[in-house]
Amino acid sequence: MGKNVVILDYGSGNLRSAERAVARTGADVTVTSDLAAAAEADGLVVPGVGAYAACMAGIEALNAGPVIAERVAAGRPVLGICVGMQILFDSGVEHGVESKGLGLLPGSVTKLSAERIPHMGWNTVEVPRDSRLLAGLAGDERFYFVHSYAAQDLDLLAEAGATVTTASHDLPFVAVVEAGALSAAQFHPEKSSDAGYLLLRNWVAGLG
């Protein structure tokens, strides 16, 4: 497709597996901590694994927050993955400690209310008709999740005009959010076989 995509290296995330998965779409992919490259790319991927606070510390150490925010404000696509999705919200609460997020999506990321934690493995999602990222899904595809925390206030996102795809682990939580130039997935597209590839292909196809 000829689009330039930067995967932001801020010390967290499955960088190489994400690189391979995005490259499969035909995009020209670079893994870098260079903020100028992140600002100028057709698309920016913000990965993330581990603790919310640690990911935010990495973003702050790189001073990447303003670049991500400026891209979104300018309508330039950003895709958050797993904890890279979670830090886009106002805050995250882990082990009773609240950490400030990037504030690009409303609400807080909190512990799942489920009998089995973490939520790990394959799960289906409920896709709204107006989803661009998941357009073309047959409806029974499964995605790969590994997490104990999630955004769960669906009403706040609806009030903000976001398109929300949900999954359930005892109770519903946000699996995918689409809000203008900002997109994010709680699951790992790079580990989700053909369904994950479809999401990435749709995202790359929508780059300017």
Side-chain angles (χ1 to χ4, degrees):
M1 296 182 184
K3 302 299 183 182
N4 172 257
V5 173
V6 161
I7 296 176
L8 185 64
D9 181 3
Y10 63 96
S12 177
N14 297 319
L15 299 175
R16 297 307 166 188
S17 58
E19 178 185 23
R20 289 191 296 270
V22 177
R24 183 183 168 198
T25 69
D28 180 13
V29 185
T30 304
V31 177
T32 183
S33 58
D34 184 337
L35 294 182
E40 295 166 4
D42 294 320
L44 176 65
V45 176
V46 182
V49 295
Y52 189 106
C55 285
M56 274 306 302
I59 290 288
E60 290 168 354
L62 190 61
N63 197 30
V67 171
I68 298 170
E70 287 164 12
R71 283 190 63 96
V72 172
R76 308 200 66 201
V78 172
L79 174 65
I81 295 175
C82 198
V83 184
M85 168 189 180
Q86 295 179 0
I87 62 175
L88 300 172
F89 285 82
D90 290 326
S91 63
V93 180
E94 290 184 355
H95 309 296
V97 177
E98 184 173 9
S99 301
K100 184 179 179 181
L102 294 176
L104 300 176
L105 292 170
S108 184
V109 172
T110 55
K111 191 171 184 178
L112 291 168
S113 298
E115 183 178 348
R116 290 176 290 106
I117 298 292
H119 173 218
M120 182 165 58
W122 298 87
N123 201 349
T124 56
V125 299
E126 294 289 333
V127 183
R129 292 182 179 180
D130 57 347
S131 173
R132 294 174 292 104
L133 278 185
L134 297 176
L137 284 183
D140 58 354
E141 292 89 347
R142 294 177 178 270
F143 296 86
Y144 190 76
F145 291 85
V146 183
H147 64 121
S148 298
Y149 299 83
Q152 299 173 75
D153 196 331
L154 306 180
D155 290 340
L156 273 180
L157 289 168
E159 289 169 7
T163 298
V164 178
T165 295
T166 61
S168 290
H169 185 58
D170 289 358
L171 294 172
F173 64 87
V174 178
V176 176
V177 59
E178 303 167 60
L182 186 59
S183 304
Q186 177 61 65
F187 53 76
H188 286 274
E190 75 278 11
K191 296 182 179 180
S192 296
S193 192
D194 289 342
Y197 167 70
L198 182 141
L199 179 148
L200 293 174
R201 186 188 69 189
N202 285 344
W203 182 70
V204 170
L207 299 180

